[in-house]
Amino acid sequence: MAQHTIRFRIRPDGTVEELVQGFRGEGCQQLTERIESSLGSVQQRTSTAEAFLSQAQTTSAALPVEQRSA
Amino acid sequence: MSHFSTVKTELRDRDALLGALRDLGHEPDSSERPVRGYRGQTVLAELCVAQTGGGDIGFRWNATSNSYELVTDLDLWKQPVPVERFLAQVTQRYALRSILAASVAEGFQVTEQTQAVDGTIELVVSRWDA
């Protein structure tokens, strides 16, 4: 048994960021294509976990700015 | 293999769009009808949120972009938020409903749903496979 997890971040403007974890090979594409096709056009896709790590760092770096303005 | 995608949401699915409008407290009419604008001018739309006194909010199917687009008379706009914000709210709810529907159809279960301070909805779905 393996757990497959998909994390979504749905931005206030409707843009969706999606992180797929634990899929191997073809299954990864098949499952997420359905979700992606019901949503819209994929603007960017990166196939490494490192891509999400750099994204997360960008987000957390931006957080103090948002907190100040709130 | 993991991957990370960014998707620009387009309003493609009728049911998800109807649901999104209802989530925001509107009562959309799902039959084709004229959207009323200034001085009784009308334009046909597939979905319509009627407003008392005119200034209806319609969604018209665009066969070129393969998605619904908002049609309304901005001179008669009476919503508490500007039209750009309104469309953003609809799009966010639409994205949530589309993802939930597609996830359930693929056998996923929602394990987490939270809303961040900036309004971002965080959603985690998972599935066990042999």
Side-chain angles (χ1 to χ4, degrees):
Chain A
M1 293 284 276
Q3 189 178 28
H4 298 153
T5 300
I6 310 180
R7 294 177 172 272
F8 297 96
R9 265 192 211 130
I10 312 169
R11 298 287 181 194
D13 69 353
T15 305
V16 176
E17 292 166 12
E18 175 199 43
L19 173 69
V20 180
Q21 295 168 313
F23 287 96
R24 271 167 296 187
E26 303 261 309
C28 160
Q29 297 284 18
Q30 248 175 14
L31 281 162
T32 55
E33 263 170 21
R34 174 175 187 148
I35 290 172
E36 288 170 1
S37 73
S38 76
L39 277 183
S41 49
V42 178
Q43 294 185 311
Q44 196 191 330
R45 186 202 292 263
T46 36
S47 289
T48 59
E50 289 75 22
F52 182 70
L53 284 178
S54 67
Q55 187 84 14
Q57 278 156 10
T58 310
T59 308
S60 60
L63 207 61
V65 180
E66 287 163 19
Q67 283 171 339
R68 269 201 299 273
S69 64
Chain B
M1 182 177 73
S2 300
H3 79 245
F4 184 82
S5 305
T6 307
V7 186
K8 186 181 181 301
T9 304
E10 292 159 10
L11 307 173
R12 292 176 174 176
D13 182 79
R14 182 186 186 84
D15 289 337
L17 178 54
L18 283 168
L21 289 165
R22 290 193 189 108
D23 284 348
L24 294 168
H26 299 286
E27 287 172 27
D29 187 339
S30 61
S31 56
E32 189 181 64
R33 52 162 286 171
V35 174
R36 297 165 298 164
Y38 182 64
R39 286 194 176 174
Q41 294 174 70
T42 59
V43 57
L44 271 181
E46 282 81 5
L47 293 180
C48 183
V49 180
Q51 303 293 310
T52 40
D56 299 337
I57 305 166
F59 286 88
R60 194 164 47 178
W61 180 254
N62 183 326
T64 310
S65 66
N66 222 14
S67 63
Y68 287 96
E69 55 189 25
L70 189 146
V71 54
T72 192
D73 189 332
L74 287 177
D75 287 339
L76 300 177
W77 187 259
K78 288 187 296 241
Q79 299 303 308
V81 293
V83 66
E84 295 81 10
R85 184 81 196 101
F86 175 84
L87 191 55
Q89 287 172 343
V90 171
T91 308
Q92 190 191 31
R93 294 308 300 187
Y94 171 90
L96 176 64
R97 283 195 164 252
S98 301
I99 292 169
L100 287 174
S103 298
V104 168
E106 293 287 353
F108 283 80
Q109 286 186 326
V110 177
T111 51
E112 198 182 318
Q113 185 180 336
T114 54
Q115 186 142 15
V117 184
D118 69 351
T120 298
I121 297 170
E122 310 248 4
L123 186 69
V124 182
V125 299
S126 58
R127 192 180 77 179
W128 288 93
D129 288 309

